[in-house]
Amino acid sequence: MTRSPLARPWHLAVLLLLLSGCGRSQAPREDAATPFVFRSLDLRQQDVLGRPTWELTSPEARYDLRRRVARALQPRGIIYRAGKPAYRVEATTGTVIDDGAVILLEGRIRLQRLGGEPVMIQASRVRWLPGRNLMEIDRQPEGFDPHTRLTAQRATFRIDKDTLELQGRPRLQRWSKAFDPFLANPAGAPQIVVSVSAVMWKPGSGALTAKGPVLGERRPPGSPADRAPQVLTATALSGNTLKQQFNLAPPVLFRDPAQSGGFSARGQALQVDAAKKLVRIPVGCLIQQGGATLQADSCSWNWETQAITADGSVLLQRPESRQVTRGTRLRGRLGEKGEVVISKPGGRVFSQFQVPPAKRAPRPAPPRPKPEPIRL
């Protein structure tokens, strides 16, 4: 980034700090081992248009003139995008190197996004490169919005693009009950946990894309700990964490081994609306439960109410009764006591099944002949 004359505020800042007072009455020699101790630190940077890009303050800082390094306690600052405040940043300690070319933040690091939905990025060590609009996070990167927590081994935050890239076993965790990312982490175990190989997340808009393989597990609220989780697999994931909507790339397979007889669904794609608790297979739906099989052009079901719908070229097969039913629309409910209704508006529903033969009652045995009387 090209810097304006105001883009390197260090020398001016040092002079102001010396005038405001420091920990020593005389300026040390350039080769002195003991650095200056300032009452406060106030650094600002602007772009070529004169707009602020970032600012950093600290109640106490030590400056090494020879090495051009400042160490600050409890640094606080603002990161701007196009001259407008975008993130509030804070850390336990900070080290500013080479007139602000590199800023190392350590300890409890929090980046709170300003405006709109509450979103926060957390870490314990960040290497900030202001000239490249880049933050490299190599310790405990986390991203939070009201329903989601994203974690990985390392991450890169591209400030100008408002994009957090997570690598190293990234995971997405989701809670059905909303929480405030600024106050505390969510309580209790997440209902959904998804593992992928890489994630790109835009905290401001919530847009998310992830490379597979995708492995998701879901535990319904209130389910016992020994219950097997629902499992979802796919090749890629995209969606929006704020809107709670996700798309999975084929082949997609969903299994619920805890349901009676087992339950599985597959399709060429799968869409999840977490807010409505709705799963939809828009193309090539195939659902199996127990021995029954349902095929349709598209289908959807609500994982809370177990309501199910299927549309287009509906085919329901039950091998036990050799039942085959065809129609264009199915409405019903999954489960042991679930019922379905198949219809074909403007036409007839075709249904074929085999009725087991009735069992014949056994013929009564012929009456035994009466014994002859005993004669003497």
Side-chain angles (χ1 to χ4, degrees), residues 64-333:
D64 189 321
L65 291 174
R66 180 174 58 85
R67 299 173 57 197
R68 296 169 70 186
V69 173
R71 303 187 186 278
L73 297 178
Q74 302 296 325
R76 302 287 186 270
I78 299 292
I79 298 174
Y80 297 83
R81 293 186 65 216
K84 297 181 180 180
Y87 284 90
R88 179 181 294 111
V89 58
E90 61 182 50
T92 305
T93 62
T95 303
V96 185
I97 304 169
D98 192 19
D99 292 357
V102 179
I103 302 174
L104 180 63
L105 303 174
E106 295 181 289
R108 187 170 182 265
I109 304 167
R110 294 160 59 94
L111 280 82
Q112 298 183 10
R113 197 173 196 285
L114 303 175
E117 294 284 350
V119 177
M120 183 178 68
I121 299 173
Q122 254 183 200
S124 59
R125 186 167 69 182
V126 171
R127 185 170 176 262
W128 181 8
L129 307 173
R132 296 172 55 189
N133 283 305
L134 191 68
M135 284 187 172
E136 297 174 343
I137 308 172
D138 61 1
R139 286 187 185 174
Q140 300 173 318
E142 296 178 296
F144 292 90
D145 70 18
H147 286 275
T148 313
R149 178 187 182 219
L150 290 162
T151 63
Q153 294 175 338
R154 60 190 180 279
T156 301
F157 182 41
R158 303 189 183 278
I159 300 171
D160 54 339
K161 297 180 180 179
D162 194 31
T163 301
L164 183 67
E165 301 174 0
L166 297 111
Q167 306 92 24
R169 302 175 63 184
R171 294 202 310 170
L172 182 152
Q173 298 172 304
R174 185 188 177 277
W175 284 259
S176 56
K177 185 177 181 180
F179 59 91
D180 188 342
F182 296 165
L183 298 180
N185 290 346
Q191 283 75 55
I192 298 176
V193 178
V194 181
S195 301
V196 293
S197 61
V199 171
M200 292 183 62
W201 181 53
K202 292 184 176 296
S205 66
L208 178 143
T209 58
K211 295 181 180 179
V214 178
L215 174 61
E217 293 187 351
R218 177 182 180 271
R219 293 187 179 276
S223 61
D226 58 348
R227 172 176 172 168
Q230 299 170 338
V231 178
L232 176 67
T233 60
T235 56
L237 170 70
S238 63
N240 191 293
T241 60
L242 292 175
K243 295 180 180 179
Q244 304 182 61
Q245 297 175 349
F246 304 94
N247 302 310
L248 293 110
V252 178
L253 175 63
F254 176 84
R255 291 181 287 110
D256 188 353
Q259 285 203 30
S260 177
F263 173 83
S264 66
R266 66 180 72 228
Q268 298 180 25
L270 189 143
Q271 301 168 349
V272 179
D273 189 329
K276 297 180 180 179
K277 302 177 176 60
L278 192 67
V279 177
R280 183 170 184 266
I281 298 178
V283 180
C285 173
L286 173 61
I287 294 178
Q288 294 175 310
Q289 183 179 24
T293 301
L294 171 65
Q295 292 178 263
D297 293 341
S298 65
C299 62
S300 65
W301 73 94
N302 184 299
W303 66 66
E304 185 172 72
T305 65
Q306 296 297 303
I308 184 172
T309 67
D311 294 283
S313 303
V314 175
L315 173 62
L316 178 63
Q317 301 179 78
R318 289 191 174 100
E320 290 184 359
S321 60
R322 297 186 181 180
Q323 178 184 353
V324 178
T325 304
R326 301 178 187 272
T328 58
R329 179 184 297 173
L330 178 145
R331 301 292 184 267
R333 193 176 302 276

Side-chain angles (χ1 to χ4, degrees), residues 10-22 37-43 58 61 63:
W10 263 87
H11 302 297
L12 178 60
V14 170
L15 289 174
L16 291 175
L17 290 169
L18 287 173
L19 290 174
S20 64
C22 62
V37 180
F38 301 122
R39 291 179 181 174
S40 62
L41 184 67
D42 189 350
L43 304 177
S58 168
Y63 185 68

